[in-house]
PDB file of all heavy atoms in Angstrom:
ATOM      1  N   GLN B  45      33.854  12.369-201.050  1.00 96.00           N
ATOM      2  CA  GLN B  45      32.519  12.887-200.666  1.00 96.00           C
ATOM      3  C   GLN B  45      31.652  11.761-200.208  1.00 96.00           C
ATOM      4  O   GLN B  45      30.868  11.920-199.281  1.00 96.00           O
ATOM      5  CB  GLN B  45      31.890  13.635-201.813  1.00 96.00           C
ATOM      6  CG  GLN B  45      30.783  14.653-201.316  1.00 96.00           C
ATOM      7  CD  GLN B  45      30.512  15.693-202.341  1.00 96.00           C
ATOM      8  OE1 GLN B  45      31.278  15.905-203.331  1.00 96.00           O
ATOM      9  NE2 GLN B  45      29.474  16.452-202.124  1.00 96.00           N
ATOM     10  N   SER B  46      31.835  10.602-200.834  1.00 96.00           N
ATOM     11  CA  SER B  46      31.001   9.487-200.270  1.00 96.00           C
ATOM     12  C   SER B  46      31.650   8.715-199.145  1.00 96.00           C
ATOM     13  O   SER B  46      31.026   7.728-198.537  1.00 96.00           O
ATOM     14  CB  SER B  46      30.914   8.443-201.500  1.00 96.00           C
ATOM     15  OG  SER B  46      32.103   8.048-201.990  1.00 96.00           O
ATOM     16  N   GLY B  47      32.769   9.127-198.812  1.00 96.00           N
ATOM     17  CA  GLY B  47      33.581   8.328-197.770  1.00 96.00           C
ATOM     18  C   GLY B  47      33.015   8.745-196.284  1.00 96.00           C
ATOM     19  O   GLY B  47      32.727   9.897-196.015  1.00 96.00           O
ATOM     20  N   ILE B  48      32.962   7.689-195.436  1.00 97.00           N
ATOM     21  CA  ILE B  48      32.626   7.843-194.011  1.00 97.00           C
ATOM     22  C   ILE B  48      33.741   7.208-193.213  1.00 97.00           C
ATOM     23  O   ILE B  48      34.006   6.034-193.405  1.00 97.00           O
ATOM     24  CB  ILE B  48      31.276   7.208-193.742  1.00 97.00           C
ATOM     25  CG1 ILE B  48      30.189   7.851-194.586  1.00 97.00           C
ATOM     26  CG2 ILE B  48      30.945   7.444-192.290  1.00 97.00           C
ATOM     27  CD1 ILE B  48      28.868   7.159-194.444  1.00 97.00           C
ATOM     28  N   VAL B  49      34.338   7.998-192.403  1.00 97.00           N
ATOM     29  CA  VAL B  49      35.473   7.532-191.559  1.00 97.00           C
ATOM     30  C   VAL B  49      35.102   7.782-190.087  1.00 97.00           C
ATOM     31  O   VAL B  49      34.917   8.836-189.760  1.00 97.00           O
ATOM     32  CB  VAL B  49      36.856   8.169-191.973  1.00 97.00           C
ATOM     33  CG1 VAL B  49      37.927   7.752-191.035  1.00 97.00           C
ATOM     34  CG2 VAL B  49      37.209   7.746-193.404  1.00 97.00           C
ATOM     35  N   VAL B  50      35.177   6.722-189.311  1.00 97.00           N
ATOM     36  CA  VAL B  50      34.950   6.876-187.869  1.00 97.00           C
ATOM     37  C   VAL B  50      36.284   6.340-187.255  1.00 97.00           C
ATOM     38  O   VAL B  50      36.397   5.082-186.984  1.00 97.00           O
ATOM     39  CB  VAL B  50      33.800   6.073-187.352  1.00 97.00           C
ATOM     40  CG1 VAL B  50      33.574   6.288-185.869  1.00 97.00           C
ATOM     41  CG2 VAL B  50      32.626   6.493-188.097  1.00 97.00           C
ATOM     42  N   ALA B  51      37.278   7.120-187.184  1.00 96.00           N
ATOM     43  CA  ALA B  51      38.609   6.647-186.746  1.00 96.00           C
ATOM     44  C   ALA B  51      39.549   7.750-186.341  1.00 96.00           C
ATOM     45  O   ALA B  51      39.440   8.844-186.748  1.00 96.00           O
ATOM     46  CB  ALA B  51      39.293   5.925-187.906  1.00 96.00           C
ATOM     47  N   ASP B  52      40.519   7.392-185.500  1.00 96.00           N
ATOM     48  CA  ASP B  52      41.589   8.315-185.149  1.00 96.00           C
ATOM     49  C   ASP B  52      42.496   8.194-186.219  1.00 96.00           C
ATOM     50  O   ASP B  52      42.876   6.956-186.655  1.00 96.00           O
ATOM     51  CB  ASP B  52      42.120   7.951-183.849  1.00 96.00           C
ATOM     52  CG  ASP B  52      41.235   8.387-182.660  1.00 96.00           C
ATOM     53  OD1 ASP B  52      40.446   9.264-182.893  1.00 96.00           O
ATOM     54  OD2 ASP B  52      41.408   7.849-181.510  1.00 96.00           O
ATOM     55  N   ILE B  53      43.063   9.260-186.747  1.00 96.00           N
ATOM     56  CA  ILE B  53      43.953   9.284-187.948  1.00 96.00           C
ATOM     57  C   ILE B  53      45.194   9.971-187.617  1.00 96.00           C
ATOM     58  O   ILE B  53      45.306  10.980-186.989  1.00 96.00           O
ATOM     59  CB  ILE B  53      43.150  10.107-189.012  1.00 96.00           C
ATOM     60  CG1 ILE B  53      41.908   9.410-189.431  1.00 96.00           C
ATOM     61  CG2 ILE B  53      44.156  10.181-190.210  1.00 96.00           C
ATOM     62  CD1 ILE B  53      41.022  10.256-190.476  1.00 96.00           C
ATOM     63  N   GLU B  54      46.283   9.141-187.956  1.00 96.00           N
ATOM     64  CA  GLU B  54      47.595   9.804-187.969  1.00 96.00           C
ATOM     65  C   GLU B  54      48.146   9.715-189.331  1.00 96.00           C
ATOM     66  O   GLU B  54      48.253   8.553-189.870  1.00 96.00           O
ATOM     67  CB  GLU B  54      48.547   8.904-187.095  1.00 96.00           C
ATOM     68  CG  GLU B  54      48.661   9.392-185.656  1.00 96.00           C
ATOM     69  CD  GLU B  54      49.523   8.479-184.803  1.00 96.00           C
ATOM     70  OE1 GLU B  54      50.686   8.351-185.219  1.00 96.00           O
ATOM     71  OE2 GLU B  54      49.003   7.909-183.817  1.00 96.00           O
ATOM     72  N   THR B  55      48.481  10.898-189.943  1.00 96.00           N
ATOM     73  CA  THR B  55      48.964  10.819-191.305  1.00 96.00           C
ATOM     74  C   THR B  55      49.835  12.095-191.553  1.00 96.00           C
ATOM     75  O   THR B  55      50.060  12.924-190.776  1.00 96.00           O
ATOM     76  CB  THR B  55      47.650  10.958-192.275  1.00 96.00           C
ATOM     77  OG1 THR B  55      48.042  10.907-193.604  1.00 96.00           O
ATOM     78  CG2 THR B  55      46.908  12.144-192.007  1.00 96.00           C
ATOM     79  N   GLU B  56      50.370  11.926-192.771  1.00 96.00           N
ATOM     80  CA  GLU B  56      51.256  13.051-193.249  1.00 96.00           C
ATOM     81  C   GLU B  56      50.325  14.286-193.583  1.00 96.00           C
ATOM     82  O   GLU B  56      50.563  15.458-193.187  1.00 96.00           O
ATOM     83  CB  GLU B  56      52.179  12.666-194.509  1.00 96.00           C
ATOM     84  CG  GLU B  56      52.931  13.660-195.106  1.00 96.00           C
ATOM     85  CD  GLU B  56      54.071  14.145-194.325  1.00 96.00           C
ATOM     86  OE1 GLU B  56      54.551  13.398-193.443  1.00 96.00           O
ATOM     87  OE2 GLU B  56      54.461  15.402-194.450  1.00 96.00           O
ATOM     88  N   GLN B  57      49.359  13.951-194.471  1.00 96.00           N
ATOM     89  CA  GLN B  57      48.586  14.902-195.019  1.00 96.00           C
ATOM     90  C   GLN B  57      47.072  14.448-195.125  1.00 96.00           C
ATOM     91  O   GLN B  57      46.944  13.308-195.549  1.00 96.00           O
ATOM     92  CB  GLN B  57      48.996  15.422-196.387  1.00 96.00           C
ATOM     93  CG  GLN B  57      48.440  16.622-196.953  1.00 96.00           C
ATOM     94  CD  GLN B  57      49.019  16.998-198.306  1.00 96.00           C
ATOM     95  OE1 GLN B  57      50.123  16.573-198.618  1.00 96.00           O
ATOM     96  NE2 GLN B  57      48.386  17.802-199.082  1.00 96.00           N
ATOM     97  N   LEU B  58      46.163  15.273-194.842  1.00 97.00           N
ATOM     98  CA  LEU B  58      44.705  14.831-194.908  1.00 97.00           C
ATOM     99  C   LEU B  58      43.895  15.780-195.723  1.00 97.00           C
ATOM    100  O   LEU B  58      44.034  16.984-195.546  1.00 97.00           O
ATOM    101  CB  LEU B  58      44.166  14.731-193.481  1.00 97.00           C
ATOM    102  CG  LEU B  58      42.772  14.401-193.226  1.00 97.00           C
ATOM    103  CD1 LEU B  58      42.399  13.020-193.675  1.00 97.00           C
ATOM    104  CD2 LEU B  58      42.237  14.737-191.949  1.00 97.00           C
TER     105      LEU B  58
END
Side-chain angles (χ1 to χ4, degrees):
Chain B
Q45 205 157 346
S46 59
I48 300 173
V49 174
V50 183
D52 288 340
I53 298 173
E54 272 179 53
T55 180
E56 170 72 28
Q57 191 176 341
L58 172 73

